[in-house]
Amino acid sequence: MLVTVNRNSKLASRYRLPDVQFLLSEETKNAPSAIEVAFHTAGFRYTYFISWTVDYIVEERLLRQEGKKKEKLIFTREFSKGKDIVVVSFPKGTTIPVHVQELINQNILKYSSVISIYDNKNFECEDIRNVYNYFRFVDLWNVKKYELSAMLAKRSNEELLKPIILNILKDMGSTICDYKVDTLTFDIADDERDFLLTRMSEEEYRANFPGDKRTVQKLQFGYKVVEKEETVWLPETLESEGTLEAIRLIIVLFDSIWRGTPIAIDECAQSIHPKARCYPFLRERQEHRMLFIHHHKQQDLP
């Protein structure tokens, strides 16, 4: 959001610049925060730098490198606190067209990044677009907040995802051999309806509970039991939390590959089944790789 949200005058109070001051040092707690990110997208290597306080963006710059060519500066942006003005400079040889340069200078505000102007202005500039899209598609996930039933229900790519999950679970030593998501519908009683309408408007109620009915998705796992020939189905609530966390992480990794987006995982081993740490994401298995390769060929992905 720091990079992509265009904080115009109407939104400035709502989308305040993030405060990440270092509170353990009197010397630095009021100093600007700074981030530099180097990444590859659309065939280029970009280096993006931004520093800011809670009131304004101090500095911003973008560099681009193509192959082994020398890195090229695309723009620099600085804020003069004394003059209360933003100065955006475009060096000779920049890839940003003159009319786009003028548009940026006309719309730049002290608390909006140069990249964010692409959000609501109709102009074409390859480098600004590439960087904007890169940051716009960054997803922050706390997998514990997502219900597995919702993550697995009605997926267009289930035929690809399901064997990956089941094969990894098998290699972890799990006896889960299948899973299914059932959609159940219940009538809402009058007293419950009256209660819900104290928490939401009539319009919201109709959107969430059409026809006075509540829809619930129920995830069940199928297990192979030696003594029985048929599959035994048990609810998700009876499975271990470590296994459920492993499945959530598999789905997040799968979706990142499916969409062709980067993923950074913080403390990915926390609460994960111990056998999941050493195998699924570090050791290659031919059948899993072939599934992904087959998908990439179909979608013409790298």
Side-chain angles (χ1 to χ4, degrees), residues 99-243:
H99 71 281
V100 175
Q101 296 178 27
E102 295 173 352
L103 192 63
I104 289 172
N105 280 312
Q106 290 168 4
N107 291 277
I108 195 73
L109 297 172
K110 65 181 181 180
Y111 32 67
S112 291
S113 73
V114 171
I115 302 300
S116 71
I117 294 175
Y118 186 81
D119 183 30
N120 62 351
K121 296 298 175 183
N122 185 22
F123 68 84
E124 185 55 45
C125 178
E126 181 183 22
D127 289 322
I128 299 293
R129 181 187 69 242
N130 289 343
V131 176
Y132 174 82
N133 285 337
Y134 179 86
F135 284 103
R136 185 167 69 94
F137 290 116
V138 170
D139 289 328
L140 301 178
W141 284 64
N142 181 344
V143 293
K144 289 181 182 294
K145 292 183 178 180
Y146 289 83
E147 294 184 5
L148 264 179
S149 57
M151 296 176 80
L152 292 169
K154 297 180 180 179
R155 297 185 67 103
S156 61
N157 51 21
E158 182 182 11
E159 291 184 2
L160 181 61
L161 173 61
K162 193 169 190 177
I164 292 172
I165 292 176
L166 295 178
N167 274 298
I168 292 176
L169 290 176
K170 180 181 178 181
D171 288 340
M172 286 167 49
S174 172
T175 56
I176 294 174
C177 63
D178 201 357
Y179 62 81
K180 62 181 178 180
V181 179
D182 295 324
T183 301
L184 308 176
T185 303
F186 304 93
D187 291 328
I188 295 179
D190 292 341
D191 56 345
E192 183 183 4
R193 181 182 184 278
D194 294 339
F195 172 77
L196 289 170
L197 286 173
T198 65
R199 301 299 181 92
M200 62 182 70
S201 67
E202 183 80 29
E203 185 178 345
E204 290 175 319
Y205 175 84
R206 290 175 182 173
N208 289 307
F209 308 104
D212 290 325
K213 294 183 182 296
R214 180 193 300 276
T215 300
V216 177
Q217 291 174 327
K218 183 179 179 182
L219 173 62
Q220 296 187 77
F221 290 109
Y223 300 83
K224 283 292 184 185
V225 181
V226 176
E227 295 81 7
K228 299 182 179 181
E229 294 184 1
E230 74 276 8
T231 299
V232 177
W233 293 93
L234 296 176
E236 168 193 1
T237 52
L238 296 181
E239 186 50 69
S240 71
E241 185 59 32
T243 298

